[in-house]
Amino acid sequence: MELIKPNINLDFVGNRKYAYILSGSLILLTIVFLIVRGGPNFGIDFAGGILVQVKFNKETSTGQVRNALESASIENTTVQDFSTEEGSEYLVRIEQEGVDVTEFKDRIQTAFKKTFGEGAFEVRRVEMVGPKVGKDLRQKALFAVFYAILFIAIYISGRFELKWLMSIIMAGALLVAVYLASLINISVVWLIVIALIVTLGLCWVLRLRYALGAVVALIHDVIITVGAFSFFNKEITLPIVAALLTIIGYSLNDTIIVFDRIRENLRKGRRTDFSKTINSSINETLSRTILTSGTTLVVVVSLFILGGGVIHDFAFALLVGIVVGTYSSIYVASPILLALPAADEKGGMVSKRKR
Amino acid sequence: MKGKLGWRAILVLAVLVASVVYLVPSISGNLPLWWSNVLPKDKVQLGLDLQGGMHLILEVESEKAVETQLGIFADDIKRALREERVWIAGDKVQTSAGAMELVLKNEEDIEKLKEFLEKNYPEFSIEETRKDDSGVVVTLAMSADEQKRIRQFATSQALETIRNRVDQFGVSEPDIRPQGEDRLLIQLPGISDTDRALKLIGKTALLEFKLVDDMGDLPAAEKGDVPPGDELLYEVRENRETGRVTKTPVLVERRSLLTGQYVSDARVQIDNQFNEPYVTLKFNAKGARLFERVTGENVKRRLAIILDGVVNSAPVIQEKIPGGTARITGNFTMEEARDLAIVLRAGALPAPVKVLEERTVGPSLGKDSIRKGFISMIVGGLVVILVMAVYYQIGGLIADAALLLNIVLIMAALAAFGATLTLPGMAGIILTIGMAVDANVLIFERIREETRLGKTPRAAVEAGFGRALVTIIDSNVTTLIAALVLFQFGTGPVKGFAVTLSIGIVASVFTAVFVSRLVFDYLLLRVRVKRIPV
């Protein structure tokens, strides 16, 4: 069976303008949403707070749960509906410092006992993260994203352009930049922004175009996924950061397969336009791209629908990330190669042909 | 090539057998005896989010331990200085964070003090001296090294004490370990009464015996005018029926005559008369001697038994008590009495602890998560298997076999490494199922391309595998980098995700490149198929 005809030749590179417009507006929308919502919606993992998951035996509405809490004068809580066809289930969350967990849990429990009766509900999960730990976890998560991007940039520039020396120089420059930035005691978010700008700048100056394409694509994917979270007002928790890192891995996986093909076609040394080589490489791998993205999407959709509430947002992040990651490897990572001529474009090609 | 086929088949078979061996303990409940003697018996461990339980991060407030230690040093130094005939003004030696103040009456004594410190207390140095109406105020600072040592000791001792308590509480497979400088990570799988566990772990359990100052002016003390050398504490009683709490003030002497460190045993007993549980304490030899002397010297006075600064009871000493036993009464439930006995036996925490992070998952939620995780795994897996079989036919079936082997390998590796399967970990396996076919897809697409170029089946397979290999390795290394970073920075469930993802990547490369290659070669060389089965 074949989905894609072998001799297909869609003009991906030619249409890249539209893709840039689409990507640009999605990123812009993300920024707008983040500004409107006042930054990412961090869950208690990062912001600190208490979360209690309660399951009721009988059908219970959000309003009833709210009323029960209000009647016990428990304020500043958010109640999230977690219900499935199996029963009513709610997440009660309070983002407040200095609240005693045991006390808060007791208060909720007494409030529910009063309203719904003894044994009408079950506390299924309690999470409390103190502000200190929340801050630590946030730092750790951001550093994880930072190091992932750093190592990947190094690997790609080393592997694809055989410029290990340059990638080591880049790593050194990056570490120096980050060290200098950390001296002036800025937040990790800015540290990462600076690191990313330095990474992209170095890729540009050192003409590491494959690394540039890959890093731009994965930043693109992470930003848009964060934007989707902000749009649906979903919380960013530790597992979501794990999902973002997985998206980084996945997006690259996809990108590298196209890059490998581009390199291979370049090595064949046909005297064609670089943009044509890119386009035909995308087309040659298209069948694989669709099939693999398809199977991955199938399992993630199944996780999203059947996996249950606890894993729901995690699956959502993967879902968005895989769609965006597949798109970006075709429309973002590859066309960006055109933006930058390789440092040894002529020399490299000639010496290879002589061989 | 034919000979090679043989050893490759043996290798794959060996891997398969080994993974099944590692998996058996997780699948079958009862292992025959000979099995557990020779073969691995570790099951795939489930994370707290899957089996239910409690995860805690505690902070040992070790600066309190430094303060306490400083107080002890202050008393010692004061006493020793008196013996050296150095006059100290006032009764009190003030202490603050890592430093204490002494007031010397004579300025000439500073030299003496210096000498004394060098000889006896090298961990202290004179930081500052200034004159005052009362004399010369000298600030003694504890060295940073000594403070650090006390902090470290407090953390490790807190760890030991909590481990003791948890062991006596009866939790199977608790995980208690230090994290960073002054934090403890505690994982208690399968705990259902989390409040009780938290109380048991978090209680400082500092037991003290102090004399009640019945001559002191209690109403004045309540207004804030506590007589020197005394302190005001409360006896707290809760009426079980009405839930009303009554607080009775008690004025006690500050000096503690005996502490919980002399307790050698604590047990729950039942009062025959009222059928109420109480706790009996047994002191060790030194404690028993002390107790005998204290009770002998203070007959007809009240002795307050104080736990964490709250007066438990203050019975009148009727006579000298030899033998070294005391009892703590109160309207305890059986559980409370049992927990009290545990904390008294395990000893006091060297410093109070604070809960920084608490996560508890009920057993029913854990079971739900496992069930739902499995359902989505099976549904997603079946669709993938079907798609592959339809799209690539025979080749697809080979990829499917590789996929199933892949899942077996991941589970076996989890068991073999003693890694923990968490809910995100299950998601990792599910994701791997989707991505694992990628390597095979790459290979098959290559084979199709090569066939289109007119190559013979054997050459096409050869070229397909050969060319796809580089790409497969490149594309998986980056995912592996992300997974390893995640492992390094992640905690708990996230780490579980990183583990399954990493194992999944390695396993999928092995199954796609090695195992399905073997099957292809077998088909081409032994079965001698004429057409490429993709």
Side-chain angles (χ1 to χ4, degrees), chain B residues 196-255:
Chain B
R196 191 178 153 203
L198 196 61
K199 274 181 198 143
L200 183 85
I201 290 168
K203 197 176 229 147
T204 313
L206 178 62
L207 181 72
E208 292 166 300
F209 290 81
K210 293 181 178 180
L211 279 173
V212 176
D213 182 8
D214 281 321
M215 313 300 279
D217 188 351
L218 195 57
E222 271 190 281
K223 282 186 196 115
D225 186 16
V226 181
D230 279 3
E231 63 184 331
L232 186 68
L233 297 177
Y234 290 89
E235 187 174 348
V236 181
R237 294 270 157 180
E238 191 190 336
N239 187 318
R240 219 161 273 292
E241 269 93 61
T242 59
R244 262 220 351 238
V245 178
T246 48
K247 282 172 96 179
T248 321
V250 184
L251 198 56
V252 299
E253 287 177 11
R254 195 181 280 275
R255 192 162 57 103

Side-chain angles (χ1 to χ4, degrees), chain B residues 151-334:
Chain B
R151 279 166 192 274
Q152 280 170 349
F153 184 69
T155 307
S156 62
Q157 209 189 352
L159 181 86
E160 258 337 289
T161 308
I162 289 174
R163 187 173 285 153
N164 262 327
R165 290 182 186 178
V166 169
D167 282 348
Q168 296 188 23
F169 187 58
V171 179
S172 61
E173 295 176 40
D175 183 5
I176 302 169
R177 63 176 93 160
Q179 201 183 47
E181 266 192 4
D182 50 9
R183 289 184 186 175
L184 304 178
L185 169 81
I186 300 170
Q187 298 205 311
L188 309 175
I191 282 275
S192 52
D193 193 348
T194 52
D195 286 353
R196 191 178 153 203
L198 196 61
K199 274 181 198 143
L200 183 85
I201 290 168
K203 197 176 229 147
T204 313
L206 178 62
L207 181 72
E208 292 166 300
F209 290 81
K210 293 181 178 180
L211 279 173
V212 176
D213 182 8
D214 281 321
M215 313 300 279
D217 188 351
L218 195 57
E222 271 190 281
K223 282 186 196 115
D225 186 16
V226 181
D230 279 3
E231 63 184 331
L232 186 68
L233 297 177
Y234 290 89
E235 187 174 348
V236 181
R237 294 270 157 180
E238 191 190 336
N239 187 318
R240 219 161 273 292
E241 269 93 61
T242 59
R244 262 220 351 238
V245 178
T246 48
K247 282 172 96 179
T248 321
V250 184
L251 198 56
V252 299
E253 287 177 11
R254 195 181 280 275
R255 192 162 57 103
S256 62
L257 301 170
L258 199 61
T259 62
Q261 63 182 349
Y262 297 112
V263 171
S264 68
D265 197 12
R267 284 172 192 285
V268 180
Q269 277 175 345
I270 308 281
D271 187 314
N272 288 328
Q273 218 177 333
F274 303 104
N275 201 25
E276 256 188 8
Y278 63 92
V279 177
T280 54
L281 294 178
K282 199 164 170 51
F283 295 111
N284 60 20
K286 195 177 172 197
R289 266 201 309 280
L290 267 170
F291 195 57
E292 190 176 342
R293 208 185 73 208
V294 167
T295 51
E297 283 169 3
N298 297 292
V299 173
K300 295 297 165 207
R301 287 193 67 179
R302 291 205 292 155
L303 184 67
I305 303 172
I306 300 155
L307 188 66
D308 288 342
V310 176
V311 178
N312 172 272
S313 58
V316 177
I317 302 167
Q318 300 295 351
E319 56 193 356
K320 182 160 129 179
I321 307 172
T325 56
R327 67 163 67 177
I328 298 179
T329 55
N331 49 351
F332 297 128
T333 63
M334 197 59 205

Side-chain angles (χ1 to χ4, degrees), chain A residues 1-4 6 45 53 55 84 86 89 101-102 105-106 109 122-133 136-137 140-141 143-145 147-148 151-152 155-156 159-160 238-239 241-243 245-246 248-250 252-254 256-257 260-261 263-264 268 284 287-288 291-292 295-296 298-300 302-303 306-311 314 318 322, chain B residues 57 59 179 183 194-195 198-199 354-366 368-369 371-373 375-377 379-381 383-384 387-388 390-393 423-424 426-428 430-431 433-435 437-439 441-442 445-446 448-449 452 467 470-479 481-483 485-486 488-491 493-494 497 501:
Chain A
M1 201 177 121
E2 273 173 356
L3 275 179
I4 305 288
D45 286 343
Q53 185 176 339
K55 188 177 183 177
T84 53
E86 291 158 42
E89 204 163 342
V101 210
T102 329
K105 200 165 58 186
D106 284 351
Q109 251 166 334
E122 178 199 354
V123 174
R124 304 238 282 174
R125 176 159 66 121
V126 178
E127 292 190 359
M128 186 282 291
V129 179
K132 233 188 209 168
V133 173
D136 283 5
L137 290 177
K140 258 189 164 180
F143 274 118
V145 175
Y147 280 111
F151 290 142
I152 283 164
Y155 176 76
I156 293 181
R159 179 72 189 83
F160 275 82
L238 268 183
V241 174
L245 279 172
T246 315
I248 289 179
Y250 180 84
L252 273 164
N253 187 316
D254 232 26
I256 282 175
I257 283 160
D260 256 0
R261 186 58 76 108
R263 232 168 27 130
E264 189 187 324
K268 280 182 192 159
E284 282 165 27
S287 163
R288 172 266 156 201
L291 199 64
T292 302
T295 55
T296 313
V298 161
V299 291
V300 174
S302 125
L303 190 65
L306 303 169
V310 183
I311 206 79
F314 181 80
L318 289 179
I322 286 163
Chain B
I57 291 187
E59 185 180 51
Q179 201 183 47
R183 289 184 186 175
T194 52
D195 286 353
L198 196 61
K199 274 181 198 143
K354 205 166 102 191
V355 180
L356 292 184
E357 186 182 336
E358 177 192 342
R359 293 171 200 265
T360 52
V361 174
S364 72
L365 182 63
D368 268 18
S369 295
R371 206 192 63 233
K372 286 179 179 158
I375 291 173
S376 44
M377 192 147 91
V379 170
V383 176
V384 171
V387 166
M388 290 299 283
V390 169
Y391 199 81
Y392 291 117
Q393 291 152 25
L423 185 58
M426 281 184 93
I430 295 168
L431 189 66
I433 293 174
M435 291 168 69
V437 294
D438 183 49
V441 170
L442 279 167
E445 288 296 318
R446 267 305 163 125
R448 281 184 173 184
E449 273 177 52
R452 258 180 246 124
R467 296 204 159 167
V470 187
T471 310
I472 290 169
I473 288 176
D474 275 344
S475 63
N476 282 297
V477 164
T478 50
T479 316
I481 289 175
V485 169
L486 208 50
Q488 186 58 37
F489 285 90
T491 52
V494 174
F497 173 71
L501 196 62

